[in-house]
mmCIF file of all heavy atoms in Angstrom:
data_model
loop_
_atom_site.group_PDB
_atom_site.id
_atom_site.type_symbol
_atom_site.label_atom_id
_atom_site.label_comp_id
_atom_site.label_asym_id
_atom_site.label_seq_id
_atom_site.Cartn_x
_atom_site.Cartn_y
_atom_site.Cartn_z
ATOM 1 N N GLY A 961 -57.915 25.283 16.287
ATOM 2 C CA GLY A 961 -57.275 26.497 16.761
ATOM 3 C C GLY A 961 -55.796 26.379 17.077
ATOM 4 O O GLY A 961 -55.078 27.375 17.016
ATOM 5 N N ARG A 962 -55.332 25.203 17.433
ATOM 6 C CA ARG A 962 -53.926 24.974 17.743
ATOM 7 C C ARG A 962 -53.523 23.570 17.337
ATOM 8 O O ARG A 962 -54.373 22.704 17.148
ATOM 9 C CB ARG A 962 -53.639 25.144 19.240
ATOM 10 C CG ARG A 962 -53.712 26.560 19.766
ATOM 11 C CD ARG A 962 -53.245 26.592 21.212
ATOM 12 N NE ARG A 962 -53.370 27.913 21.797
ATOM 13 C CZ ARG A 962 -52.431 28.848 21.739
ATOM 14 N NH1 ARG A 962 -51.282 28.612 21.104
ATOM 15 N NH2 ARG A 962 -52.633 30.025 22.308
ATOM 16 N N THR A 963 -52.222 23.369 17.249
ATOM 17 C CA THR A 963 -51.704 22.012 17.151
ATOM 18 C C THR A 963 -51.972 21.306 18.473
ATOM 19 O O THR A 963 -51.656 21.821 19.543
ATOM 20 C CB THR A 963 -50.208 22.022 16.841
ATOM 21 O OG1 THR A 963 -49.987 22.680 15.597
ATOM 22 C CG2 THR A 963 -49.662 20.615 16.761
ATOM 23 N N LEU A 964 -52.549 20.116 18.396
ATOM 24 C CA LEU A 964 -53.077 19.446 19.578
ATOM 25 C C LEU A 964 -52.189 18.350 20.131
ATOM 26 O O LEU A 964 -52.543 17.744 21.138
ATOM 27 C CB LEU A 964 -54.458 18.874 19.263
ATOM 28 C CG LEU A 964 -55.510 19.880 18.812
ATOM 29 C CD1 LEU A 964 -56.781 19.177 18.395
ATOM 30 C CD2 LEU A 964 -55.785 20.892 19.914
ATOM 31 N N SER A 965 -51.060 18.088 19.513
ATOM 32 C CA SER A 965 -50.251 16.940 19.899
ATOM 33 C C SER A 965 -49.741 17.002 21.327
ATOM 34 O O SER A 965 -49.459 15.959 21.927
ATOM 35 C CB SER A 965 -49.085 16.762 18.927
ATOM 36 O OG SER A 965 -48.230 17.895 18.950
ATOM 37 N N SER A 966 -49.612 18.187 21.890
ATOM 38 C CA SER A 966 -49.104 18.348 23.248
ATOM 39 C C SER A 966 -50.211 18.601 24.268
ATOM 40 O O SER A 966 -49.920 18.993 25.401
ATOM 41 C CB SER A 966 -48.101 19.491 23.298
ATOM 42 O OG SER A 966 -46.980 19.218 22.480
ATOM 43 N N TYR A 967 -51.450 18.368 23.900
ATOM 44 C CA TYR A 967 -52.585 18.656 24.771
ATOM 45 C C TYR A 967 -53.189 17.395 25.363
ATOM 46 O O TYR A 967 -53.109 16.307 24.792
ATOM 47 C CB TYR A 967 -53.667 19.408 24.003
ATOM 48 C CG TYR A 967 -53.428 20.895 23.949
ATOM 49 C CD1 TYR A 967 -52.451 21.428 23.131
ATOM 50 C CD2 TYR A 967 -54.193 21.763 24.728
ATOM 51 C CE1 TYR A 967 -52.221 22.791 23.087
ATOM 52 C CE2 TYR A 967 -53.971 23.124 24.682
ATOM 53 C CZ TYR A 967 -52.988 23.634 23.862
ATOM 54 O OH TYR A 967 -52.774 24.993 23.819
ATOM 55 N N ALA A 968 -53.787 17.576 26.523
ATOM 56 C CA ALA A 968 -54.653 16.578 27.119
ATOM 57 C C ALA A 968 -56.100 17.009 26.936
ATOM 58 O O ALA A 968 -56.425 18.188 27.086
ATOM 59 C CB ALA A 968 -54.347 16.407 28.603
ATOM 60 N N MET A 969 -56.953 16.061 26.622
ATOM 61 C CA MET A 969 -58.367 16.319 26.419
ATOM 62 C C MET A 969 -59.156 15.580 27.487
ATOM 63 O O MET A 969 -58.882 14.415 27.772
ATOM 64 C CB MET A 969 -58.816 15.856 25.040
ATOM 65 C CG MET A 969 -57.975 16.404 23.891
ATOM 66 S SD MET A 969 -58.132 18.202 23.711
ATOM 67 C CE MET A 969 -59.862 18.326 23.236
ATOM 68 N N GLY A 970 -60.134 16.260 28.044
ATOM 69 C CA GLY A 970 -60.936 15.660 29.095
ATOM 70 C C GLY A 970 -62.421 15.783 28.833
ATOM 71 O O GLY A 970 -62.871 16.688 28.123
ATOM 72 N N TRP A 971 -63.158 14.842 29.383
ATOM 73 C CA TRP A 971 -64.617 14.922 29.440
ATOM 74 C C TRP A 971 -65.032 15.098 30.895
ATOM 75 O O TRP A 971 -64.563 14.367 31.781
ATOM 76 C CB TRP A 971 -65.286 13.668 28.875
ATOM 77 C CG TRP A 971 -65.258 13.557 27.383
ATOM 78 C CD1 TRP A 971 -64.410 12.812 26.624
ATOM 79 C CD2 TRP A 971 -66.150 14.205 26.472
ATOM 80 N NE1 TRP A 971 -64.714 12.954 25.296
ATOM 81 C CE2 TRP A 971 -65.776 13.805 25.169
ATOM 82 C CE3 TRP A 971 -67.224 15.077 26.625
ATOM 83 C CZ2 TRP A 971 -66.436 14.253 24.029
ATOM 84 C CZ3 TRP A 971 -67.877 15.528 25.491
ATOM 85 C CH2 TRP A 971 -67.482 15.119 24.211
ATOM 86 N N PHE A 972 -65.909 16.066 31.117
ATOM 87 C CA PHE A 972 -66.498 16.313 32.424
ATOM 88 C C PHE A 972 -68.009 16.326 32.275
ATOM 89 O O PHE A 972 -68.526 16.478 31.173
ATOM 90 C CB PHE A 972 -66.022 17.650 33.002
ATOM 91 C CG PHE A 972 -64.570 17.672 33.375
ATOM 92 C CD1 PHE A 972 -63.590 17.826 32.407
ATOM 93 C CD2 PHE A 972 -64.189 17.534 34.697
ATOM 94 C CE1 PHE A 972 -62.246 17.849 32.750
ATOM 95 C CE2 PHE A 972 -62.845 17.554 35.051
ATOM 96 C CZ PHE A 972 -61.879 17.708 34.084
ATOM 97 N N ARG A 973 -68.700 16.173 33.373
ATOM 98 C CA ARG A 973 -70.156 16.261 33.326
ATOM 99 C C ARG A 973 -70.671 17.006 34.543
ATOM 100 O O ARG A 973 -70.043 17.033 35.597
ATOM 101 C CB ARG A 973 -70.803 14.880 33.223
ATOM 102 C CG ARG A 973 -70.681 14.016 34.473
ATOM 103 C CD ARG A 973 -71.221 12.627 34.191
ATOM 104 N NE ARG A 973 -71.331 11.826 35.404
ATOM 105 C CZ ARG A 973 -71.680 10.547 35.420
ATOM 106 N NH1 ARG A 973 -71.959 9.912 34.271
ATOM 107 N NH2 ARG A 973 -71.753 9.894 36.573
ATOM 108 N N GLN A 974 -71.848 17.598 34.374
ATOM 109 C CA GLN A 974 -72.454 18.365 35.444
ATOM 110 C C GLN A 974 -73.966 18.207 35.391
ATOM 111 O O GLN A 974 -74.598 18.558 34.399
ATOM 112 C CB GLN A 974 -72.077 19.842 35.348
ATOM 113 C CG GLN A 974 -72.514 20.669 36.534
ATOM 114 C CD GLN A 974 -71.848 22.031 36.548
ATOM 115 O OE1 GLN A 974 -71.398 22.529 35.526
ATOM 116 N NE2 GLN A 974 -71.779 22.643 37.718
ATOM 117 N N ALA A 975 -74.521 17.680 36.463
ATOM 118 C CA ALA A 975 -75.958 17.554 36.616
ATOM 119 C C ALA A 975 -76.488 18.761 37.377
ATOM 120 O O ALA A 975 -75.741 19.423 38.109
ATOM 121 C CB ALA A 975 -76.298 16.264 37.354
ATOM 122 N N PRO A 976 -77.774 19.071 37.240
ATOM 123 C CA PRO A 976 -78.334 20.212 37.971
ATOM 124 C C PRO A 976 -78.088 20.112 39.470
ATOM 125 O O PRO A 976 -78.327 19.067 40.081
ATOM 126 C CB PRO A 976 -79.825 20.132 37.645
ATOM 127 C CG PRO A 976 -79.877 19.441 36.320
ATOM 128 C CD PRO A 976 -78.759 18.433 36.366
ATOM 129 N N GLY A 977 -77.586 21.189 40.052
ATOM 130 C CA GLY A 977 -77.309 21.219 41.474
ATOM 131 C C GLY A 977 -76.056 20.491 41.902
ATOM 132 O O GLY A 977 -75.781 20.416 43.107
ATOM 133 N N GLN A 978 -75.304 19.952 40.959
ATOM 134 C CA GLN A 978 -74.103 19.188 41.269
ATOM 135 C C GLN A 978 -72.858 19.917 40.783
ATOM 136 O O GLN A 978 -72.920 20.779 39.911
ATOM 137 C CB GLN A 978 -74.159 17.803 40.625
ATOM 138 C CG GLN A 978 -75.380 16.989 40.988
ATOM 139 C CD GLN A 978 -75.392 16.609 42.448
ATOM 140 O OE1 GLN A 978 -74.363 16.212 43.002
ATOM 141 N NE2 GLN A 978 -76.551 16.738 43.084
ATOM 142 N N GLU A 979 -71.726 19.556 41.355
ATOM 143 C CA GLU A 979 -70.459 20.086 40.885
ATOM 144 C C GLU A 979 -70.036 19.373 39.613
ATOM 145 O O GLU A 979 -70.417 18.227 39.360
ATOM 146 C CB GLU A 979 -69.378 19.923 41.956
ATOM 147 C CG GLU A 979 -69.622 20.735 43.204
ATOM 148 C CD GLU A 979 -68.477 20.634 44.188
ATOM 149 O OE1 GLU A 979 -67.590 19.785 43.991
ATOM 150 O OE2 GLU A 979 -68.466 21.414 45.147
ATOM 151 N N ARG A 980 -69.248 20.061 38.815
ATOM 152 C CA ARG A 980 -68.711 19.446 37.615
ATOM 153 C C ARG A 980 -67.717 18.358 38.010
ATOM 154 O O ARG A 980 -66.825 18.584 38.832
ATOM 155 C CB ARG A 980 -68.042 20.506 36.748
ATOM 156 C CG ARG A 980 -67.683 20.042 35.357
ATOM 157 C CD ARG A 980 -67.342 21.231 34.462
ATOM 158 N NE ARG A 980 -68.482 22.120 34.286
ATOM 159 C CZ ARG A 980 -68.497 23.151 33.462
ATOM 160 N NH1 ARG A 980 -67.432 23.431 32.722
ATOM 161 N NH2 ARG A 980 -69.579 23.918 33.377
ATOM 162 N N GLU A 981 -67.865 17.175 37.424
ATOM 163 C CA GLU A 981 -67.028 16.059 37.809
ATOM 164 C C GLU A 981 -66.313 15.450 36.610
ATOM 165 O O GLU A 981 -66.806 15.466 35.484
ATOM 166 C CB GLU A 981 -67.838 14.980 38.537
ATOM 167 C CG GLU A 981 -68.909 14.312 37.708
ATOM 168 C CD GLU A 981 -69.675 13.243 38.474
ATOM 169 O OE1 GLU A 981 -69.261 12.892 39.589
ATOM 170 O OE2 GLU A 981 -70.692 12.761 37.949
ATOM 171 N N PHE A 982 -65.166 14.880 36.890
ATOM 172 C CA PHE A 982 -64.332 14.256 35.883
ATOM 173 C C PHE A 982 -64.953 12.967 35.388
ATOM 174 O O PHE A 982 -65.469 12.172 36.174
ATOM 175 C CB PHE A 982 -62.951 13.978 36.478
ATOM 176 C CG PHE A 982 -62.037 13.197 35.591
ATOM 177 C CD1 PHE A 982 -61.369 13.801 34.544
ATOM 178 C CD2 PHE A 982 -61.829 11.845 35.810
ATOM 179 C CE1 PHE A 982 -60.518 13.084 33.730
ATOM 180 C CE2 PHE A 982 -60.977 11.113 35.008
ATOM 181 C CZ PHE A 982 -60.318 11.740 33.960
ATOM 182 N N VAL A 983 -64.879 12.748 34.081
ATOM 183 C CA VAL A 983 -65.357 11.520 33.470
ATOM 184 C C VAL A 983 -64.193 10.713 32.892
ATOM 185 O O VAL A 983 -63.996 9.550 33.237
ATOM 186 C CB VAL A 983 -66.397 11.792 32.372
ATOM 187 C CG1 VAL A 983 -66.824 10.488 31.703
ATOM 188 C CG2 VAL A 983 -67.602 12.528 32.947
ATOM 189 N N ALA A 984 -63.430 11.325 32.003
ATOM 190 C CA ALA A 984 -62.327 10.629 31.342
ATOM 191 C C ALA A 984 -61.405 11.643 30.701
ATOM 192 O O ALA A 984 -61.789 12.792 30.470
ATOM 193 C CB ALA A 984 -62.850 9.650 30.286
ATOM 194 N N ALA A 985 -60.182 11.227 30.388
ATOM 195 C CA ALA A 985 -59.224 12.102 29.729
ATOM 196 C C ALA A 985 -58.286 11.280 28.874
ATOM 197 O O ALA A 985 -58.116 10.072 29.084
ATOM 198 C CB ALA A 985 -58.432 12.922 30.753
ATOM 199 N N ILE A 986 -57.666 11.943 27.914
ATOM 200 C CA ILE A 986 -56.744 11.285 27.005
ATOM 201 C C ILE A 986 -55.641 12.255 26.603
ATOM 202 O O ILE A 986 -55.887 13.446 26.414
ATOM 203 C CB ILE A 986 -57.495 10.743 25.765
ATOM 204 C CG1 ILE A 986 -56.580 9.887 24.891
ATOM 205 C CG2 ILE A 986 -58.115 11.875 24.957
ATOM 206 C CD1 ILE A 986 -57.335 9.090 23.833
ATOM 207 N N MET A 987 -54.424 11.740 26.472
ATOM 208 C CA MET A 987 -53.326 12.512 25.900
ATOM 209 C C MET A 987 -53.462 12.470 24.399
ATOM 210 O O MET A 987 -53.524 11.388 23.796
ATOM 211 C CB MET A 987 -51.985 11.946 26.337
ATOM 212 C CG MET A 987 -51.716 12.015 27.826
ATOM 213 S SD MET A 987 -51.714 13.711 28.452
ATOM 214 C CE MET A 987 -50.368 14.429 27.496
ATOM 215 N N TRP A 988 -53.507 13.635 23.772
ATOM 216 C CA TRP A 988 -53.742 13.694 22.341
ATOM 217 C C TRP A 988 -52.656 12.964 21.559
ATOM 218 O O TRP A 988 -52.945 12.190 20.650
ATOM 219 C CB TRP A 988 -53.843 15.146 21.883
ATOM 220 C CG TRP A 988 -54.328 15.265 20.485
ATOM 221 C CD1 TRP A 988 -53.582 15.500 19.383
ATOM 222 C CD2 TRP A 988 -55.683 15.136 20.049
ATOM 223 N NE1 TRP A 988 -54.381 15.521 18.270
ATOM 224 C CE2 TRP A 988 -55.676 15.304 18.646
ATOM 225 C CE3 TRP A 988 -56.893 14.895 20.698
ATOM 226 C CZ2 TRP A 988 -56.842 15.230 17.884
ATOM 227 C CZ3 TRP A 988 -58.046 14.828 19.935
ATOM 228 C CH2 TRP A 988 -58.009 14.991 18.557
ATOM 229 N N GLY A 989 -51.408 13.195 21.928
ATOM 230 C CA GLY A 989 -50.311 12.605 21.178
ATOM 231 C C GLY A 989 -50.079 11.137 21.462
ATOM 232 O O GLY A 989 -49.908 10.339 20.534
ATOM 233 N N GLY A 990 -50.060 10.759 22.726
ATOM 234 C CA GLY A 990 -49.697 9.403 23.085
ATOM 235 C C GLY A 990 -50.852 8.445 23.274
ATOM 236 O O GLY A 990 -50.642 7.229 23.288
ATOM 237 N N GLY A 991 -52.066 8.968 23.450
ATOM 238 C CA GLY A 991 -53.227 8.117 23.595
ATOM 239 C C GLY A 991 -53.421 7.510 24.971
ATOM 240 O O GLY A 991 -54.318 6.679 25.144
ATOM 241 N N ILE A 992 -52.622 7.895 25.940
ATOM 242 C CA ILE A 992 -52.793 7.398 27.297
ATOM 243 C C ILE A 992 -54.102 7.933 27.855
ATOM 244 O O ILE A 992 -54.414 9.116 27.712
ATOM 245 C CB ILE A 992 -51.613 7.818 28.187
ATOM 246 C CG1 ILE A 992 -50.301 7.277 27.608
ATOM 247 C CG2 ILE A 992 -51.804 7.328 29.612
ATOM 248 C CD1 ILE A 992 -49.070 7.863 28.258
#
């Protein structure tokens, strides 16, 4: 849908009855 080089991508997870929590993230362009 868009050029992604300036985006950050994240993974989150959510178990039943729990809040959504951060798992990992990456800068699309730089790989940090």
Side-chain angles (χ1 to χ4, degrees):
R962 290 187 183 272
T963 300
L964 301 174
S965 62
S966 298
Y967 276 74
M969 307 294 294
W971 285 100
F972 292 79
R973 69 186 189 185
Q974 188 167 22
Q978 304 293 317
E979 295 185 350
R980 191 166 297 187
E981 64 180 350
F982 174 79
V983 177
I986 188 168
M987 296 299 299
W988 191 259
I992 301 169

